[in-house]
Amino acid sequence: MARESFAIGNVRVRAGSAKEIELPITRLVTGADVFLPVRVIHGREDGPVVWVNAATHGDEVNGTEVIRRVLAQLPPKTFRGTLVAVPILNVLGFMTGDRYLPDRRDLNRSFPGSARGSLASRLAHLFMEEVVSKCEVGIDLHTGADRRANWPHIRADLDDPRTRELAEAFGMPLMLQSKLRDGSLRQAARDRGATVLLFEGGENWRFDEYAIAAGVVGVRRVLASLGMIEPLDDEEHPSTIECRQSGWVRAKGTGILHLDVTLGQPVEAGQRLGGLSDSFGRRVRLVHADRTGTVIGLTTAPLVNSGDAIVHIAN
Ligand SMILES: [Zn+2]
């Protein structure tokens, strides 16, 4: 018996086909309608229904490129199950390179949203109704925030066995236990019964080839582990370390920052991470690790004020 078609918006996607759908969000003051662009690949054969989205924060462009490359490599004939790809979730923030929506709300604190709430809340609601509620697994792709670079890693609730299994399948060198946050896509999707992974890698506003390549292979490994595509050729599965906690080392002074460590580097408590100098190069302060672990995030700002977060260490 042929697989049933997939209903989304006001269209149905036939089994064995792919379709681009525009879900209406709002209208700009200039009169143009704004849509959420979605691509559905509805395989001929049965399998899981999975979504992958990027740019929940509108300045995080790496994930959009990850999705473009994943879609380009999907085998249309032999694909099993259904993939709902949303390369730009925060469409309005994306247009201006802004993390938030024009109403200054953080979309990732606006879930599950409502049809009559703020603009962010309505977008969250649309995404929940049209995408999340139809999926059993989701991957939310992020990058570091403003002037922060992240080492590619997975954040997920590793205490949930199913989530843990998929986090391991993603195959990053590090996974970080991360509790659910109120208003986040991850929390709302979990409440609807979906298993969600959050990928972090690179920084906002620019393509980071290392993080993009890691994201592409990770998403493909998850699709393979779910039986949607054939296992990858490179299936030497990398080992992954699990971290339960993380924290930022903050500047104890103000100055020009020179870091001695790089992303992914193991560090020991007390180790020198870098130093702060004045404008003539005189050393003002040294920066030391407050814990033993792995560097998963770094500021990319050369000038730091006392209290600024400089190095993110997971332990
Ligand atoms: Zn983000």
Side-chain angles (χ1 to χ4, degrees), residues 56-57 60 99 141-143 200:
T56 307
H57 295 124
E60 300 182 356
R99 183 175 177 80
L141 304 169
H142 287 256
T143 76
E200 278 283 355

Side-chain angles (χ1 to χ4, degrees), residues 16 24 33 40 64 76 86 146 158 163 168 188 285 299 314:
D33 289 323
V40 175
T64 306
V86 183
D146 199 359
L158 303 172
T163 309
E168 284 173 354
R285 281 277 184 184
T299 182

Side-chain angles (χ1 to χ4, degrees), residues 158-159 164 173-177 240-244 315:
L158 303 172
D159 295 333
R164 185 189 188 85
L174 186 145
M175 21 182 224
L176 180 61
Q177 165 64 17
T240 173
I241 55 167
E242 176 183 343
C243 295
R244 302 296 298 185
N315 54 302

